[in-house]
Amino acid sequence: MFTGIIEAVGEISALDNKGDDIRLTVQSKTLDMSDVHLGDSIATNGVCLTVVEKGDDYYRADVSAETIKYTGFANYSAGSRVNLEKAMRTDSRFGGHIVSGHVDGVGHVESIVEHTRYVEVWVKAPDSLAKYIAHKGSITVDGVSLTVNEVKGASFMLWLIPHTLKETVIGDYKVGTAVNLEVDVIARYLERLMLGDKAAHTDTHDISLNFLAEHGYLK
C-alpha cells in the first residue's frame, strides 16, 4: 500500500524487451535504496512494481504486457521521468490517502493555466471512471495523491502548488500528456457493496441510474 506522497523522482534508464514483457531500469539519486530489498514494491508513476534487482541508485522491475496496455508505460522511453514512492511502513505518517498502485485507467491533460500562486490543470479521464471522481474527493495522478477541485463530466480540475510541481513529474506536463489514474479505493468498494446479495450475480458495470433508483439510492 502507498499514500500518494512522492519520495523522489527517477529516470527510466533502460527498457529491455523480455518477450511480451519489458524489464525496466529506474535510476534515482534521491530515493533512499538502503532499506529496499528484492521483492519489495515501489510505485513508479503510480504503478506498483516489484524490485527484482537493485543497486545504490537504481532498481529493476518486470512490467507485464497487461500493465503496458492499461497504463502510461506504453508512452515511456529511456529518459522519461517518473514519480517514485516506496511501499508504506506501518510506523510512518499517513500524509495522502489509501493508494494501491493498481492503475484504473489513463487520462490526458486537457489544459494548463498558470495563476499567481498555483497552476490549474484539467485532466480528461476515461468515461468509465467518471462516476468515481467527486468534487473534493481524492484521486491519484501518476502516483500523486491529489484533491479534485472541480468536475465536469469525465474531466476534473486540480490546483497544484509550486512544491508539487517542483517535487514531482507534474511540472513536466503539457497538453496531451498521458497520466496514470487510480480512483479512490473506497468509491470502488462502495459501488460493490451497494449491490448487496446481487453482487454474486451482477457485473459491477451493470450499475445504472435505474438500479440506484430501484434500491433507494436516488429519489
Side-chain angles (χ1 to χ4, degrees):
M1 186 176 76
F2 307 92
T3 68
I5 304 300
I6 301 305
E7 296 180 70
V9 171
E11 182 177 298
I12 297 175
S13 59
L15 292 163
D16 299 319
N17 290 326
K18 299 289 183 180
D20 292 332
D21 302 344
I22 61 172
R23 177 157 291 184
L24 177 80
T25 303
V26 177
Q27 288 189 301
S28 175
K29 297 184 182 300
T30 53
L31 185 69
D32 180 10
M33 296 291 293
S34 63
D35 60 349
V36 174
H37 306 285
L38 298 185
D40 283 356
S41 297
I42 297 179
T44 307
N45 258 16
V47 181
C48 178
L49 297 179
T50 300
V51 175
V52 298
E53 186 180 329
K54 56 156 284 190
D56 292 337
D57 65 350
Y58 77 92
Y59 66 92
R60 292 193 173 99
D62 292 326
V63 184
S64 69
E66 185 81 358
T67 299
I68 296 169
K69 180 179 179 180
Y70 289 105
T71 71
F73 273 96
N75 303 298
Y76 301 163
S77 59
S80 294
R81 299 201 324 143
V82 288
N83 292 320
L84 305 176
E85 181 190 357
K86 294 181 289 187
M88 181 184 177
R89 291 164 48 111
T90 57
D91 61 349
S92 60
R93 184 175 287 116
F94 203 135
H97 73 282
I98 299 172
V99 177
S100 67
H102 302 155
V103 171
D104 293 299
V106 176
H108 291 84
V109 176
E110 286 187 308
S111 68
I112 301 173
V113 180
E114 294 188 12
H115 297 272
T116 303
R117 298 287 298 167
Y118 67 93
V119 173
E120 174 186 326
V121 177
W122 280 89
V123 177
K124 176 68 165 61
D127 289 349
S128 60
L129 299 185
K131 58 187 174 182
Y132 302 112
I133 302 171
H135 179 230
K136 295 303 180 183
S138 296
I139 193 164
T140 308
V141 181
D142 279 343
V144 185
S145 172
L146 296 168
T147 300
V148 176
N149 292 102
E150 190 174 340
V151 180
K152 293 181 180 178
S155 297
F156 61 93
M157 186 262 282
L158 307 166
W159 286 341
L160 302 168
I161 61 175
H163 177 80
T164 302
L165 298 172
K166 179 182 177 182
E167 299 298 328
T168 73
V169 302
I170 293 178
D172 300 338
Y173 286 179
K174 299 178 175 60
V175 172
T177 295
V179 294
N180 292 323
L181 301 177
E182 180 186 333
V183 299
D184 190 347
V185 65
I186 296 174
R188 291 203 301 257
Y189 282 119
L190 281 175
E191 178 185 40
R192 192 68 174 169
L193 284 169
M194 286 165 57
L195 290 171
D197 294 338
K198 295 180 180 289
H201 309 287
T202 307
D203 189 313
T204 302
H205 299 294
D206 291 341
I207 294 179
S208 63
L209 290 177
N210 288 335
F211 176 91
L212 296 175
E214 289 173 4
H215 292 80
Y217 293 101
L218 296 177
K219 294 182 179 180

